[in-house]
Amino acid sequence: MEENVEKKSVGAGIITMSVLDLFGQFFITIGCLVNIFAKDLVSNMIAEAGVSAGEQATTTDFVITLAISLIITIAVILILCKKPIGAFIFIGIEVLSFIYSAITSGVSLLTLLNLVFPALMIFFLYKKKDIYFVK
């Protein structure tokens, strides 16, 4: 059965969504690292822009976002390697990410728009269920 899975292709939809996801996660990771390590500089710039201290994100928020980003990156790499665990990790962490986002900033139109790319990826994964959701 493992030999049969190796012969099947991932598909253009999964590859496209993976590249877009990896590209986005790269920038999220860089942004979180900058905000974690240059917190004072970033806080001063935000304060000069007129944002109050209560509206600024904390270091904990950036660490959680960084962890989610790294886990999504690992899941996408596993998906590209045709490992079913990658699909399960991806779906699970996207659900947790949505819950975290809804708790921290509330459910809004922007929060719901953030579900478009994960929903497309899950759709493409489901279309290749013979690779990722084997019994």
Side-chain angles (χ1 to χ4, degrees):
M1 181 167 216
E2 184 71 30
E3 184 179 313
N4 192 19
V5 170
E6 291 298 321
K7 291 181 182 177
K8 295 181 182 178
S9 67
V10 174
I14 293 175
I15 292 172
T16 303
M17 294 308 298
S18 296
V19 168
L20 290 173
D21 214 350
L22 290 173
F23 191 70
Q25 297 307 324
F26 172 76
F27 285 110
I28 290 172
T29 302
I30 297 299
C32 286
L33 291 174
V34 166
N35 279 305
I36 290 170
F37 291 116
K39 183 169 179 22
D40 295 332
L41 178 64
V42 172
S43 294
N44 290 339
M45 290 173 58
I46 292 174
E48 288 175 6
V51 177
S52 67
E55 296 175 1
Q56 294 182 16
T58 63
T59 304
T60 306
D61 293 333
F62 291 119
V63 170
I64 291 171
T65 303
L66 179 63
I68 289 171
S69 177
L70 293 176
I71 293 170
I72 289 173
T73 302
I74 292 168
V76 169
I77 291 170
L78 289 172
I79 287 169
L80 289 174
C81 292
K82 300 179 189 172
K83 304 293 181 191
I85 190 72
F88 292 112
I89 292 171
F90 181 82
I91 293 168
I93 200 67
E94 286 294 349
V95 168
L96 290 175
S97 175
F98 174 74
I99 292 170
Y100 174 73
S101 176
I103 290 171
T104 57
S105 61
V107 178
S108 64
L109 181 61
L110 182 61
T111 308
L112 296 175
L113 286 175
N114 286 337
L115 292 176
V116 172
F117 279 127
L120 281 171
M121 180 67 132
I122 291 169
F123 172 73
F124 290 129
L125 289 173
Y126 181 74
K127 285 180 67 175
K128 294 291 185 174
K129 62 183 172 253
D130 53 335
I131 296 174
Y132 297 106
F133 303 111
V134 291
K135 292 184 181 180

